[in-house]
Amino acid sequence: MAGQMIEDELARIRVLPVVVIDDPGRCVPLAHALAEGGVPCAEITLRTPDALDAVAAVADLEGFLVGAGTVVGSSQLDRAVDAGARFAVSPGFDRELSLAASGRGIALIPGVATASEVLAAGAAGHSTVKLFPAAQLGGAGMISALRGPFPDVRFVPSGGISLDNAAEYDLDAVLTVSTSWIAPRAEIAAGRFDEITARARAFRAAVGR
């Protein structure tokens, strides 16, 4: 699936759960729980020793779209692609990482926090960027402000977003809403997948259109 098709699928789902997982054995039931809640995708962050194994566990799961998050270097990107990640998300913009993603044919959503970073990402060919940390930067208001000079850019707000403020991000400029609220690390570890399904369904309803 080409990068544009990946972004279109993320836009259709409208929600991107950020997942920190310690046990890859929990990944398949987690994927099923998310899909049952109407959110058949996940950004598995590379913050735990077994994160790449978790990506690999669901990479071939039919109907589920998995990506790697917290990607901060080209070697990490290579390992994530080799594990089966269909897209990558970075907390910031780095030209070397952008070039590496292009070389591997994988969609990369780079992080931005300023208009200058949106410009730099755009110059590197990225029309979709992650606004991080969204809540601390002004949330939906920041996206609306950036939309003026960058009408063709789509944003993935991430950071400080829960069910309480999810509806604020139901904006045309938002591709999908990134959140760790749906699948907290403790809920995954405890195997409370019914709760995760309920959270996915509620969050999807808040931001979906």
Side-chain angles (χ1 to χ4, degrees), residues 148-170:
F150 304 108
D152 297 324
V153 173
R154 294 187 293 181
F155 294 89
V156 180
S158 181
I161 304 175
S162 68
L163 188 62
D164 291 339
N165 60 354
E168 298 174 12
Y169 296 92
D170 186 11

Side-chain angles (χ1 to χ4, degrees), residues 17 26 55 73 87 129 146 176 188 207:
R26 299 281 191 184
V55 170
F87 63 95
V129 295
L146 289 171
T176 187
I188 298 171
V207 302

Side-chain angles (χ1 to χ4, degrees), residues 18-25 27 43-55 68-71 76 79 184-186 188-189:
V18 176
V19 173
V20 181
I21 194 164
D22 299 287
D23 178 6
C27 211
E43 172 194 331
I44 297 178
T45 67
L46 304 186
R47 303 181 195 172
T48 61
D50 296 318
L52 290 173
D53 289 336
V55 170
T70 321
V71 177
Q76 267 191 333
R79 292 195 298 272
R185 191 174 187 175
I188 298 171

Side-chain angles (χ1 to χ4, degrees), residues 32-189:
H32 287 307
L34 291 170
E36 187 176 345
V39 184
C41 65
E43 172 194 331
I44 297 178
T45 67
L46 304 186
R47 303 181 195 172
T48 61
D50 296 318
L52 290 173
D53 289 336
V55 170
V58 295
D60 295 323
L61 195 63
E62 186 175 357
F64 193 81
L65 182 60
V66 65
T70 321
V71 177
V72 296
S74 56
S75 62
Q76 267 191 333
L77 180 88
D78 282 334
R79 292 195 298 272
V81 174
D82 291 343
R86 309 290 292 281
F87 63 95
V89 183
S90 177
F93 171 72
D94 178 77
R95 184 165 179 78
E96 181 182 342
L97 182 59
S98 177
L99 290 171
S102 179
R104 292 300 303 266
I106 187 173
L108 172 69
I109 302 175
V112 300
T114 67
S116 295
E117 291 170 354
V118 177
L119 278 172
H126 299 282
S127 59
T128 297
V129 295
K130 168 184 173 177
L131 182 68
F132 177 79
Q136 291 83 349
L137 291 170
M142 178 67 161
I143 292 173
S144 295
L146 289 171
R147 184 64 160 175
F150 304 108
D152 297 324
V153 173
R154 294 187 293 181
F155 294 89
V156 180
S158 181
I161 304 175
S162 68
L163 188 62
D164 291 339
N165 60 354
E168 298 174 12
Y169 296 92
D170 186 11
L171 304 170
D172 289 339
V174 170
L175 176 85
T176 187
V177 182
S178 172
T179 180
S180 58
W181 180 85
I182 290 176
R185 191 174 187 175
E187 297 291 298
I188 298 171

Side-chain angles (χ1 to χ4, degrees), residues 2-26:
Q4 185 60 57
M5 293 178 67
I6 290 285
E7 292 185 7
D8 289 346
E9 180 64 9
L10 290 173
R12 184 191 67 79
I13 298 170
R14 196 64 180 168
V15 179
L16 179 57
V18 176
V19 173
V20 181
I21 194 164
D22 299 287
D23 178 6
R26 299 281 191 184

